[in-house]
Amino acid sequence: MSTAAFRRYVLSSFASLASAVPLFRPGSSLPGSAAPLLGAPPADSPDVPSHTPAKRLRATLGASVVEGMFTEVFTACAGATVLTAWAIALGLGPLLVGVMTALPFLAQFVQFPAAWLTSAFGHRRVALTAVCLSRLVMFPLAVLPWLDLELAARQHVLLVVAGASAVLGVVGNNAWVAWMGELVPRAVRGRFFGRRTALTTLAGTLASLGAGLLMDRLRPAEGLGVALPLLALGACVMGVVTTLLMASQHDPAPPGTAPRLELRGALVPLKDPLARRVLTYQVAWNAAVGVSAPFFALHSLQNLKMTFVIMALHAAAVAGVRILTAPLWGKMIDKVGAQPVLLACSLGIGVIPALWLLPSAGTLWPLLFDVLLAGSLWSGHGLAIFALPLSVAPRKGRPFYLAAFATAGGLAYSIAAALGGAIASALPEQFILGGMPWVNLHVLFVLSSVARLGAGMLATRLPEPGAHPVTSVSALLARLLPRPARVLAPPSTESHRPG
Protein backbone atom coordinates (compact mmCIF):
# COMPACT_ATOMS: atom_id res chain seq x y z
CA MET A 1 0.00 0.00 0.00
CA SER A 2 1.44 3.36 -0.99
CA THR A 3 1.88 6.19 1.50
CA ALA A 4 -0.92 8.20 -0.12
CA ALA A 5 -3.28 5.22 -0.10
CA PHE A 6 -2.47 4.48 3.55
CA ARG A 7 -3.12 8.12 4.45
CA ARG A 8 -6.49 8.02 2.68
CA TYR A 9 -7.32 4.79 4.52
CA VAL A 10 -6.52 6.29 7.93
CA LEU A 11 -8.43 9.51 7.22
CA SER A 12 -11.44 7.57 5.91
CA SER A 13 -11.51 5.52 9.11
CA PHE A 14 -11.54 8.64 11.28
CA ALA A 15 -14.11 10.30 9.01
CA SER A 16 -16.35 7.25 9.39
CA LEU A 17 -16.12 7.43 13.17
CA ALA A 18 -16.82 11.17 13.08
CA SER A 19 -20.35 10.56 11.83
CA ALA A 20 -21.09 7.53 14.01
CA VAL A 21 -23.20 7.62 17.15
CA PRO A 22 -21.28 5.78 19.90
CA LEU A 23 -22.98 3.64 22.52
CA PHE A 24 -20.03 2.01 24.19
CA ARG A 25 -19.66 1.91 27.95
CA PRO A 26 -20.88 5.13 29.54
CA GLY A 27 -19.00 4.30 32.73
CA SER A 28 -15.65 4.73 30.97
CA SER A 29 -14.21 7.35 28.63
CA LEU A 30 -13.27 6.34 25.10
CA PRO A 31 -10.84 8.72 23.36
CA GLY A 32 -12.35 10.50 20.39
CA SER A 33 -16.00 9.98 21.31
CA ALA A 34 -16.87 13.06 23.34
CA ALA A 35 -19.70 15.41 22.41
CA PRO A 36 -19.66 17.92 20.94
CA LEU A 37 -16.89 16.13 19.07
CA LEU A 38 -18.56 13.16 17.50
CA GLY A 39 -21.77 13.68 15.55
CA ALA A 40 -20.47 15.25 12.36
CA PRO A 41 -23.14 16.16 9.80
CA PRO A 42 -23.88 13.25 7.47
CA ALA A 43 -21.89 13.21 4.26
CA ASP A 44 -25.10 13.31 2.22
CA SER A 45 -26.59 16.29 4.05
CA PRO A 46 -27.26 19.24 1.77
CA ASP A 47 -24.46 21.65 1.11
CA VAL A 48 -25.26 25.24 2.05
CA PRO A 49 -23.78 27.86 -0.26
CA SER A 50 -21.29 29.95 1.68
CA HIS A 51 -19.71 33.26 0.83
CA THR A 52 -17.03 32.88 3.49
CA PRO A 53 -13.57 33.81 2.16
CA ALA A 54 -11.26 30.83 1.85
CA LYS A 55 -8.72 32.30 4.25
CA ARG A 56 -11.34 32.87 6.95
CA LEU A 57 -12.78 29.39 6.41
CA ARG A 58 -9.34 27.78 6.82
CA ALA A 59 -8.75 29.73 10.04
CA THR A 60 -12.15 28.66 11.38
CA LEU A 61 -11.61 24.99 10.56
CA GLY A 62 -8.15 25.11 12.14
CA ALA A 63 -9.64 26.59 15.33
CA SER A 64 -12.26 23.83 15.32
CA VAL A 65 -9.56 21.16 15.27
CA VAL A 66 -7.68 22.75 18.17
CA GLU A 67 -10.95 23.20 20.07
CA GLY A 68 -11.71 19.50 19.61
CA MET A 69 -8.33 18.54 21.07
CA PHE A 70 -8.94 20.68 24.16
CA THR A 71 -12.43 19.17 24.40
CA GLU A 72 -10.77 15.79 24.82
CA VAL A 73 -8.68 17.21 27.67
CA PHE A 74 -11.94 18.33 29.30
CA THR A 75 -13.37 14.82 28.87
CA ALA A 76 -10.28 13.31 30.48
CA CYS A 77 -10.79 15.65 33.46
CA ALA A 78 -14.57 15.29 33.81
CA GLY A 79 -15.63 12.31 31.71
CA ALA A 80 -17.32 9.08 32.68
CA THR A 81 -14.24 7.43 34.20
CA VAL A 82 -13.56 10.40 36.47
CA LEU A 83 -17.23 10.64 37.46
CA THR A 84 -17.12 6.95 38.41
CA ALA A 85 -14.09 7.73 40.60
CA TRP A 86 -16.11 10.53 42.21
CA ALA A 87 -18.95 8.08 42.82
CA ILE A 88 -16.63 5.61 44.55
CA ALA A 89 -15.00 8.34 46.65
CA LEU A 90 -18.41 9.62 47.79
CA GLY A 91 -19.74 6.13 48.51
CA LEU A 92 -22.47 5.99 45.87
CA GLY A 93 -23.97 2.51 45.66
CA PRO A 94 -24.64 0.64 42.39
CA LEU A 95 -28.12 2.18 42.07
CA LEU A 96 -26.86 5.78 42.14
CA VAL A 97 -23.87 4.89 39.93
CA GLY A 98 -26.30 3.52 37.36
CA VAL A 99 -28.45 6.63 37.57
CA MET A 100 -25.45 8.97 37.28
CA THR A 101 -23.94 7.29 34.24
CA ALA A 102 -27.37 7.09 32.61
CA LEU A 103 -27.91 10.85 32.84
CA PRO A 104 -26.35 11.60 29.40
CA PHE A 105 -28.87 9.22 27.85
CA LEU A 106 -31.79 10.50 29.89
CA ALA A 107 -30.78 13.98 28.74
CA GLN A 108 -31.69 12.98 25.18
CA PHE A 109 -35.20 14.08 26.16
CA VAL A 110 -34.11 17.64 25.47
CA GLN A 111 -33.34 16.85 21.82
CA PHE A 112 -36.62 18.43 20.66
CA PRO A 113 -36.31 21.58 22.82
CA ALA A 114 -32.68 21.81 21.73
CA ALA A 115 -33.74 21.79 18.09
CA TRP A 116 -36.18 24.64 18.77
CA LEU A 117 -33.54 26.63 20.64
CA THR A 118 -31.13 26.18 17.76
CA SER A 119 -33.68 27.32 15.21
CA ALA A 120 -34.83 30.26 17.33
CA PHE A 121 -31.51 31.71 18.48
CA GLY A 122 -29.02 30.44 15.91
CA HIS A 123 -26.45 27.66 15.80
CA ARG A 124 -23.44 29.58 17.01
CA ARG A 125 -25.09 31.40 19.91
CA VAL A 126 -26.72 28.27 21.35
CA ALA A 127 -23.60 26.15 20.88
CA LEU A 128 -21.35 28.70 22.57
CA THR A 129 -23.68 29.23 25.53
CA ALA A 130 -24.63 25.60 26.16
CA VAL A 131 -21.16 24.12 25.66
CA CYS A 132 -19.55 26.74 27.90
CA LEU A 133 -22.07 26.17 30.71
CA SER A 134 -21.84 22.38 30.38
CA ARG A 135 -18.14 22.65 31.27
CA LEU A 136 -18.14 25.45 33.82
CA VAL A 137 -20.84 23.64 35.78
CA MET A 138 -18.07 21.32 37.04
CA PHE A 139 -16.79 24.08 39.36
CA PRO A 140 -18.78 22.98 42.45
CA LEU A 141 -16.85 19.70 42.37
CA ALA A 142 -13.55 21.60 42.41
CA VAL A 143 -14.44 23.15 45.80
CA LEU A 144 -16.53 20.28 47.17
CA PRO A 145 -13.92 19.00 49.72
CA TRP A 146 -13.84 22.43 51.35
CA LEU A 147 -17.61 22.83 51.62
CA ASP A 148 -19.17 22.05 55.00
CA LEU A 149 -21.63 19.47 53.68
CA GLU A 150 -22.81 16.09 54.85
CA LEU A 151 -22.00 13.03 52.74
CA ALA A 152 -25.55 12.81 51.39
CA ALA A 153 -25.44 16.46 50.34
CA ARG A 154 -22.11 15.88 48.55
CA GLN A 155 -23.65 12.96 46.69
CA HIS A 156 -26.53 15.17 45.60
CA VAL A 157 -24.08 17.83 44.36
CA LEU A 158 -22.34 15.21 42.22
CA LEU A 159 -25.60 14.01 40.71
CA VAL A 160 -26.85 17.55 40.02
CA VAL A 161 -23.56 18.56 38.38
CA ALA A 162 -23.51 15.42 36.23
CA GLY A 163 -27.13 15.93 35.20
CA ALA A 164 -26.73 19.61 34.38
CA SER A 165 -23.59 18.94 32.35
CA ALA A 166 -25.37 16.17 30.42
CA VAL A 167 -28.43 18.27 29.56
CA LEU A 168 -26.39 21.28 28.50
CA GLY A 169 -24.11 18.99 26.50
CA VAL A 170 -27.04 17.63 24.49
CA VAL A 171 -28.25 21.17 23.73
CA GLY A 172 -24.76 22.26 22.74
CA ASN A 173 -24.13 19.21 20.57
CA ASN A 174 -27.42 19.70 18.73
CA ALA A 175 -26.49 23.27 17.86
CA TRP A 176 -22.87 22.37 17.10
CA VAL A 177 -23.79 19.70 14.55
CA ALA A 178 -26.15 22.14 12.81
CA TRP A 179 -23.41 24.79 12.88
CA MET A 180 -20.86 22.42 11.33
CA GLY A 181 -23.38 21.42 8.67
CA GLU A 182 -23.58 25.07 7.64
CA LEU A 183 -19.88 25.75 7.99
CA VAL A 184 -17.98 22.80 6.50
CA PRO A 185 -18.42 22.40 2.72
CA ARG A 186 -19.58 18.93 1.76
CA ALA A 187 -16.65 18.52 -0.64
CA VAL A 188 -14.14 18.61 2.22
CA ARG A 189 -16.35 17.27 5.01
CA GLY A 190 -14.87 13.77 5.04
CA ARG A 191 -11.26 14.94 5.02
CA PHE A 192 -11.88 17.61 7.64
CA PHE A 193 -13.68 15.41 10.16
CA GLY A 194 -11.26 12.57 9.51
CA ARG A 195 -8.29 14.78 10.37
CA ARG A 196 -10.13 16.38 13.30
CA THR A 197 -11.12 13.03 14.80
CA ALA A 198 -7.59 11.65 14.32
CA LEU A 199 -5.98 14.51 16.23
CA THR A 200 -8.65 14.60 18.93
CA THR A 201 -8.35 10.84 19.48
CA LEU A 202 -4.61 11.23 19.96
CA ALA A 203 -5.16 14.15 22.34
CA GLY A 204 -7.80 12.18 24.24
CA THR A 205 -5.50 9.19 24.67
CA LEU A 206 -2.66 11.33 26.04
CA ALA A 207 -5.00 13.32 28.28
CA SER A 208 -6.60 10.16 29.67
CA LEU A 209 -3.18 8.71 30.47
CA GLY A 210 -2.21 11.95 32.20
CA ALA A 211 -5.41 12.02 34.24
CA GLY A 212 -4.92 8.35 35.12
CA LEU A 213 -1.38 8.99 36.36
CA LEU A 214 -2.61 11.90 38.48
CA MET A 215 -5.39 9.87 40.07
CA ASP A 216 -3.14 6.84 40.68
CA ARG A 217 -0.50 9.02 42.34
CA LEU A 218 -2.76 11.25 44.44
CA ARG A 219 -5.87 9.17 45.12
CA PRO A 220 -6.10 8.29 48.83
CA ALA A 221 -7.31 4.94 50.11
CA GLU A 222 -10.47 6.67 51.40
CA GLY A 223 -12.13 10.00 50.74
CA LEU A 224 -11.76 12.51 47.94
CA GLY A 225 -8.14 13.60 48.18
CA VAL A 226 -6.88 16.36 45.87
CA ALA A 227 -6.71 14.61 42.48
CA LEU A 228 -10.43 14.74 41.71
CA PRO A 229 -10.90 18.42 42.70
CA LEU A 230 -7.81 19.31 40.63
CA LEU A 231 -9.29 17.54 37.62
CA ALA A 232 -12.60 19.36 38.11
CA LEU A 233 -10.75 22.67 38.19
CA GLY A 234 -8.86 21.65 35.05
CA ALA A 235 -12.20 20.86 33.40
CA CYS A 236 -13.39 24.41 34.11
CA VAL A 237 -10.21 25.86 32.64
CA MET A 238 -10.68 23.73 29.53
CA GLY A 239 -14.26 25.02 29.35
CA VAL A 240 -12.98 28.59 29.13
CA VAL A 241 -10.33 27.65 26.55
CA THR A 242 -12.75 25.75 24.31
CA THR A 243 -15.32 28.55 24.53
CA LEU A 244 -12.75 31.11 23.38
CA LEU A 245 -11.74 28.83 20.51
CA MET A 246 -15.38 28.29 19.48
CA ALA A 247 -16.00 32.05 19.68
CA SER A 248 -13.24 32.59 17.11
CA GLN A 249 -15.05 30.38 14.59
CA HIS A 250 -17.24 31.86 11.87
CA ASP A 251 -20.97 31.22 11.47
CA PRO A 252 -21.90 31.42 7.78
CA ALA A 253 -25.65 31.38 8.44
CA PRO A 254 -27.10 34.90 8.78
CA PRO A 255 -29.47 35.44 11.72
CA GLY A 256 -32.98 34.23 11.04
CA THR A 257 -32.08 31.79 8.26
CA ALA A 258 -32.55 28.64 10.32
CA PRO A 259 -35.79 26.79 9.49
CA ARG A 260 -38.64 26.93 11.95
CA LEU A 261 -39.65 23.62 13.49
CA GLU A 262 -43.31 22.77 13.90
CA LEU A 263 -44.78 20.76 16.76
CA ARG A 264 -46.66 18.36 14.53
CA GLY A 265 -43.38 17.35 12.91
CA ALA A 266 -42.28 15.76 16.19
CA LEU A 267 -45.11 13.21 15.93
CA VAL A 268 -44.39 12.14 12.37
CA PRO A 269 -41.85 9.38 13.28
CA LEU A 270 -44.40 7.73 15.59
CA LYS A 271 -46.85 7.42 12.69
CA ASP A 272 -44.31 5.94 10.28
CA PRO A 273 -44.45 2.08 10.39
CA LEU A 274 -40.84 1.77 9.20
CA ALA A 275 -39.62 4.23 11.82
CA ARG A 276 -41.55 2.37 14.54
CA ARG A 277 -39.53 -0.77 13.82
CA VAL A 278 -36.31 1.16 14.26
CA LEU A 279 -37.68 2.68 17.47
CA THR A 280 -38.55 -0.79 18.79
CA TYR A 281 -35.03 -2.02 18.16
CA GLN A 282 -33.51 1.13 19.71
CA VAL A 283 -35.58 0.71 22.87
CA ALA A 284 -34.81 -3.01 23.25
CA TRP A 285 -31.12 -2.62 22.42
CA ASN A 286 -30.45 0.36 24.65
CA ALA A 287 -32.26 -1.35 27.51
CA ALA A 288 -30.16 -4.50 27.05
CA VAL A 289 -26.97 -2.43 27.03
CA GLY A 290 -28.04 -0.17 29.88
CA VAL A 291 -28.44 -3.05 32.34
CA SER A 292 -24.67 -3.53 32.44
CA ALA A 293 -22.87 -0.69 30.64
CA PRO A 294 -22.66 1.77 33.58
CA PHE A 295 -20.96 -0.83 35.76
CA PHE A 296 -17.92 -1.95 33.76
CA ALA A 297 -15.76 0.87 35.10
CA LEU A 298 -17.07 0.27 38.64
CA HIS A 299 -16.23 -3.43 38.29
CA SER A 300 -12.77 -2.59 36.93
CA LEU A 301 -11.93 -0.35 39.88
CA GLN A 302 -13.59 -2.17 42.75
CA ASN A 303 -13.34 -5.86 41.84
CA LEU A 304 -10.54 -6.12 39.27
CA LYS A 305 -8.37 -3.56 41.13
CA MET A 306 -7.34 -1.92 37.87
CA THR A 307 -5.40 1.33 38.03
CA PHE A 308 -6.62 4.38 36.14
CA VAL A 309 -3.64 4.13 33.80
CA ILE A 310 -4.52 0.54 32.87
CA MET A 311 -8.12 1.63 32.26
CA ALA A 312 -6.88 4.45 30.02
CA LEU A 313 -4.65 2.03 28.08
CA HIS A 314 -7.60 -0.34 27.68
CA ALA A 315 -9.78 2.46 26.32
CA ALA A 316 -7.00 3.59 23.98
CA ALA A 317 -6.62 0.04 22.64
CA VAL A 318 -10.37 -0.19 22.01
CA ALA A 319 -10.27 3.18 20.23
CA GLY A 320 -7.40 1.93 18.07
CA VAL A 321 -9.34 -1.16 17.00
CA ARG A 322 -12.38 1.02 16.25
CA ILE A 323 -10.26 3.20 13.99
CA LEU A 324 -8.71 0.29 12.09
CA THR A 325 -11.99 -1.51 11.49
CA ALA A 326 -14.24 1.47 10.71
CA PRO A 327 -13.43 1.68 6.97
CA LEU A 328 -13.85 -2.09 6.61
CA TRP A 329 -17.34 -1.86 8.08
CA GLY A 330 -18.05 1.15 5.88
CA LYS A 331 -17.22 -0.87 2.79
CA MET A 332 -19.33 -3.76 4.08
CA ILE A 333 -22.31 -1.43 4.60
CA ASP A 334 -21.90 -0.10 1.05
CA LYS A 335 -21.82 -3.67 -0.23
CA VAL A 336 -24.54 -5.50 1.70
CA GLY A 337 -26.44 -2.69 3.46
CA ALA A 338 -26.63 -1.44 7.03
CA GLN A 339 -29.20 -3.94 8.31
CA PRO A 340 -27.10 -7.13 7.89
CA VAL A 341 -24.10 -5.40 9.48
CA LEU A 342 -26.24 -4.20 12.38
CA LEU A 343 -27.62 -7.72 12.91
CA ALA A 344 -24.16 -9.31 12.84
CA CYS A 345 -22.63 -6.75 15.21
CA SER A 346 -25.60 -6.88 17.59
CA LEU A 347 -25.34 -10.66 17.96
CA GLY A 348 -21.56 -10.47 18.38
CA ILE A 349 -21.79 -7.72 21.00
CA GLY A 350 -24.15 -9.98 22.94
CA VAL A 351 -21.17 -12.13 23.88
CA ILE A 352 -19.01 -9.28 25.21
CA PRO A 353 -20.53 -8.85 28.73
CA ALA A 354 -20.07 -12.57 29.37
CA LEU A 355 -16.34 -12.17 28.70
CA TRP A 356 -16.16 -10.01 31.82
CA LEU A 357 -16.86 -13.11 33.93
CA LEU A 358 -13.35 -14.35 33.10
CA PRO A 359 -10.89 -11.69 34.40
CA SER A 360 -10.07 -11.35 38.08
CA ALA A 361 -7.90 -9.03 40.16
CA GLY A 362 -4.76 -11.00 39.29
CA THR A 363 -5.77 -12.16 35.82
CA LEU A 364 -6.57 -9.37 33.37
CA TRP A 365 -5.41 -10.97 30.11
CA PRO A 366 -8.95 -12.09 29.08
CA LEU A 367 -9.67 -8.39 28.51
CA LEU A 368 -7.57 -8.66 25.34
CA PHE A 369 -10.53 -10.46 23.78
CA ASP A 370 -12.76 -7.62 24.95
CA VAL A 371 -10.48 -5.09 23.23
CA LEU A 372 -10.68 -6.92 19.90
CA LEU A 373 -14.39 -7.70 20.00
CA ALA A 374 -15.61 -4.46 21.56
CA GLY A 375 -13.45 -2.27 19.35
CA SER A 376 -14.37 -3.96 16.09
CA LEU A 377 -18.04 -4.81 16.71
CA TRP A 378 -19.00 -1.50 18.32
CA SER A 379 -17.33 0.25 15.38
CA GLY A 380 -19.56 -1.56 12.90
CA HIS A 381 -22.62 -1.17 15.11
CA GLY A 382 -22.10 2.58 15.45
CA LEU A 383 -21.82 3.07 11.70
CA ALA A 384 -24.79 0.82 10.91
CA ILE A 385 -27.12 2.27 13.55
CA PHE A 386 -26.32 5.72 12.18
CA ALA A 387 -26.79 4.74 8.52
CA LEU A 388 -30.03 2.82 9.03
CA PRO A 389 -32.14 5.65 10.51
CA LEU A 390 -30.82 7.95 7.79
CA SER A 391 -32.14 5.54 5.16
CA VAL A 392 -35.54 5.37 6.87
CA ALA A 393 -35.94 9.07 7.67
CA PRO A 394 -36.97 11.40 4.84
CA ARG A 395 -34.64 14.35 4.36
CA LYS A 396 -37.33 16.91 5.20
CA GLY A 397 -38.19 15.46 8.61
CA ARG A 398 -34.80 13.96 9.40
CA PRO A 399 -34.04 16.05 12.53
CA PHE A 400 -37.29 14.89 14.14
CA TYR A 401 -36.63 11.26 13.23
CA LEU A 402 -33.12 11.30 14.64
CA ALA A 403 -34.31 13.12 17.77
CA ALA A 404 -37.07 10.53 18.24
CA PHE A 405 -34.60 7.64 17.96
CA ALA A 406 -32.22 9.29 20.44
CA THR A 407 -35.01 10.12 22.88
CA ALA A 408 -36.56 6.64 22.87
CA GLY A 409 -33.18 4.97 23.22
CA GLY A 410 -32.16 7.32 26.01
CA LEU A 411 -35.29 6.62 28.03
CA ALA A 412 -34.87 2.85 27.65
CA TYR A 413 -31.21 3.03 28.63
CA SER A 414 -31.90 5.16 31.70
CA ILE A 415 -34.63 2.88 33.03
CA ALA A 416 -32.50 -0.22 32.45
CA ALA A 417 -29.47 1.34 34.15
CA ALA A 418 -31.52 2.20 37.23
CA LEU A 419 -32.97 -1.32 37.23
CA GLY A 420 -29.50 -2.83 36.94
CA GLY A 421 -28.31 -0.73 39.85
CA ALA A 422 -31.29 -1.83 41.94
CA ILE A 423 -30.60 -5.51 41.15
CA ALA A 424 -26.92 -5.16 42.07
CA SER A 425 -27.83 -3.38 45.32
CA ALA A 426 -30.23 -6.18 46.28
CA LEU A 427 -27.60 -8.89 45.77
CA PRO A 428 -24.68 -9.67 48.09
CA GLU A 429 -21.43 -8.16 46.83
CA GLN A 430 -19.79 -11.61 46.73
CA PHE A 431 -21.28 -15.10 46.70
CA ILE A 432 -20.61 -18.64 45.51
CA LEU A 433 -22.63 -20.09 42.63
CA GLY A 434 -21.90 -23.44 41.03
CA GLY A 435 -18.73 -23.73 43.08
CA MET A 436 -17.37 -20.50 41.53
CA PRO A 437 -16.93 -17.08 43.17
CA TRP A 438 -19.27 -14.38 41.79
CA VAL A 439 -19.80 -10.69 42.46
CA ASN A 440 -23.12 -8.92 42.14
CA LEU A 441 -22.11 -7.17 38.92
CA HIS A 442 -21.50 -10.53 37.24
CA VAL A 443 -25.26 -11.12 37.36
CA LEU A 444 -25.82 -7.89 35.40
CA PHE A 445 -23.30 -8.97 32.77
CA VAL A 446 -25.11 -12.28 32.25
CA LEU A 447 -28.50 -10.57 32.06
CA SER A 448 -27.13 -8.07 29.56
CA SER A 449 -25.66 -10.80 27.33
CA VAL A 450 -28.98 -12.62 27.14
CA ALA A 451 -30.92 -9.40 26.59
CA ARG A 452 -28.51 -8.20 23.88
CA LEU A 453 -28.87 -11.45 21.95
CA GLY A 454 -32.65 -11.15 22.16
CA ALA A 455 -32.60 -7.51 21.10
CA GLY A 456 -30.18 -8.37 18.31
CA MET A 457 -32.73 -10.74 16.81
CA LEU A 458 -35.12 -7.79 16.50
CA ALA A 459 -32.72 -6.46 13.87
CA THR A 460 -34.11 -9.12 11.53
CA ARG A 461 -37.31 -7.03 11.37
CA LEU A 462 -35.59 -3.77 10.53
CA PRO A 463 -36.38 -2.27 7.14
CA GLU A 464 -33.82 -0.77 4.82
CA PRO A 465 -35.31 0.98 1.79
CA GLY A 466 -33.37 0.29 -1.37
CA ALA A 467 -31.67 -2.80 0.08
CA HIS A 468 -32.52 -6.41 0.85
CA PRO A 469 -32.54 -6.94 4.62
CA VAL A 470 -31.88 -10.40 6.01
CA THR A 471 -34.51 -12.01 8.22
CA SER A 472 -32.62 -14.93 9.80
CA VAL A 473 -29.17 -15.92 11.01
CA SER A 474 -28.75 -18.39 8.16
CA ALA A 475 -29.56 -15.67 5.65
CA LEU A 476 -27.08 -13.41 7.44
CA LEU A 477 -24.30 -15.98 7.11
CA ALA A 478 -25.14 -16.48 3.46
CA ARG A 479 -24.98 -12.72 2.88
CA LEU A 480 -21.76 -11.99 4.78
CA LEU A 481 -19.64 -15.09 4.19
CA PRO A 482 -17.90 -15.43 0.83
CA ARG A 483 -19.55 -17.87 -1.48
CA PRO A 484 -17.35 -20.75 -2.66
CA ALA A 485 -16.70 -20.77 -6.35
CA ARG A 486 -18.58 -23.42 -8.23
CA VAL A 487 -16.30 -26.10 -9.63
CA LEU A 488 -17.49 -27.59 -12.89
CA ALA A 489 -16.83 -31.30 -13.27
CA PRO A 490 -14.53 -32.07 -16.22
CA PRO A 491 -16.10 -33.93 -19.07
CA SER A 492 -15.76 -37.69 -18.81
CA THR A 493 -13.04 -39.18 -21.00
CA GLU A 494 -14.18 -42.74 -20.48
CA SER A 495 -15.15 -44.34 -23.79
CA HIS A 496 -18.47 -46.13 -23.96
CA ARG A 497 -18.17 -49.74 -24.98
CA PRO A 498 -20.73 -51.02 -27.42
CA GLY A 499 -23.39 -53.54 -26.28
Side-chain angles (χ1 to χ4, degrees):
M1 182 183 293
S2 66
T3 303
F6 179 75
R7 183 182 178 186
R8 287 195 298 270
Y9 178 89
V10 173
L11 282 180
S12 67
S13 66
F14 282 108
S16 299
L17 293 176
S19 60
V21 178
L23 179 61
F24 184 57
R25 292 178 188 136
S28 57
S29 301
L30 190 66
S33 61
L37 168 68
L38 222 57
D44 66 339
S45 60
D47 202 2
V48 180
S50 175
H51 303 289
T52 307
K55 184 177 180 180
R56 187 174 186 182
L57 179 61
R58 282 195 299 269
T60 293
L61 297 184
S64 178
V65 172
V66 177
E67 173 261 320
M69 296 173 71
F70 280 105
T71 293
E72 280 296 288
V73 180
F74 165 81
T75 302
C77 294
T81 300
V82 175
L83 288 179
T84 301
W86 275 99
I88 294 174
L90 294 178
L92 268 68
L95 175 59
L96 291 181
V97 170
V99 170
M100 183 186 69
T101 53
L103 289 174
F105 291 88
L106 185 62
Q108 297 301 321
F109 267 104
V110 302
Q111 282 282 357
F112 290 113
W116 271 296
L117 284 173
T118 299
S119 65
F121 297 102
H123 313 137
R124 185 174 182 272
R125 185 183 302 175
V126 174
L128 277 171
T129 303
V131 172
C132 178
L133 292 177
S134 72
R135 294 166 185 178
L136 294 182
V137 77
M138 306 302 297
F139 183 74
L141 296 183
V143 297
L144 187 59
W146 296 276
L147 298 179
D148 186 17
L149 296 175
E150 298 291 336
L151 178 61
R154 294 186 175 195
Q155 294 174 344
H156 293 157
V157 169
L158 175 63
L159 292 174
V160 170
V161 167
S165 181
V167 170
L168 291 166
V170 170
V171 175
N173 193 55
N174 183 288
W176 184 84
V177 171
W179 183 6
M180 292 298 104
E182 299 277 353
L183 177 66
V184 184
R186 185 169 55 179
V188 300
R189 198 168 287 169
R191 293 195 303 273
F192 169 72
F193 282 107
R195 187 175 295 107
R196 186 180 193 271
T197 307
L199 292 173
T200 51
T201 300
L202 175 62
T205 300
L206 296 177
S208 296
L209 289 172
L213 283 171
L214 180 67
M215 287 190 287
D216 286 337
R217 293 277 182 114
L218 300 181
R219 188 176 66 145
E222 294 182 358
L224 285 175
V226 297
L228 293 176
L230 280 176
L231 290 175
L233 183 61
C236 295
V237 173
M238 289 302 103
V240 174
V241 172
T242 53
T243 301
L244 293 175
L245 287 168
M246 290 180 70
S248 69
Q249 299 171 36
H250 173 61
D251 185 5
T257 59
R260 281 286 180 180
L261 303 179
E262 299 178 359
L263 178 61
R264 62 175 179 270
L267 304 177
V268 171
L270 302 179
K271 301 177 181 178
D272 187 338
L274 297 182
R276 283 202 300 269
R277 293 189 185 183
V278 179
L279 283 170
T280 301
Y281 169 81
Q282 285 277 68
V283 168
W285 179 256
N286 280 31
V289 172
V291 169
S292 64
F295 307 102
F296 285 103
L298 184 65
H299 180 62
S300 299
L301 293 170
Q302 285 191 338
N303 301 319
L304 301 184
K305 308 302 180 184
M306 292 171 63
T307 65
F308 287 99
V309 170
I310 292 178
M311 292 180 65
L313 290 173
H314 176 267
V318 172
V321 175
R322 277 180 81 231
I323 290 163
L324 293 175
T325 56
L328 302 178
W329 287 117
K331 292 179 180 178
M332 182 70 73
I333 290 173
D334 292 339
K335 182 179 179 181
V336 303
Q339 188 264 353
V341 170
L342 184 64
L343 175 59
C345 291
S346 298
L347 296 177
I349 291 171
V351 180
I352 292 176
L355 290 177
W356 283 74
L357 303 179
L358 303 178
S360 61
T363 309
L364 297 179
W365 64 264
L367 293 182
L368 293 175
F369 297 105
D370 174 77
V371 168
L372 296 175
L373 287 179
S376 57
L377 293 176
W378 276 114
S379 176
H381 188 278
L383 295 175
I385 198 60
F386 184 72
L388 191 63
L390 290 178
S391 67
V392 173
R395 186 181 298 276
K396 183 179 180 181
R398 181 172 290 175
F400 284 113
Y401 276 73
L402 298 183
F405 297 146
T407 301
L411 176 62
Y413 181 96
S414 304
I415 294 175
L419 178 62
I423 293 173
S425 298
L427 294 172
E429 291 188 4
Q430 297 182 356
F431 57 94
I432 302 296
L433 181 63
M436 300 293 293
W438 287 60
V439 298
N440 53 355
L441 299 183
H442 282 160
V443 176
L444 303 185
F445 298 159
V446 173
L447 289 175
S448 184
S449 273
V450 175
R452 291 184 194 196
L453 292 172
M457 292 306 299
L458 290 176
T460 59
R461 301 181 62 252
L462 292 176
E464 187 174 7
H468 300 285
V470 296
T471 57
S472 65
V473 176
S474 59
L476 173 68
L477 296 176
R479 178 75 65 87
L480 296 182
L481 296 180
R483 297 180 181 179
R486 296 181 60 184
V487 179
L488 299 177
S492 176
T493 57
E494 183 182 4
S495 60
H496 296 279
R497 298 179 181 179

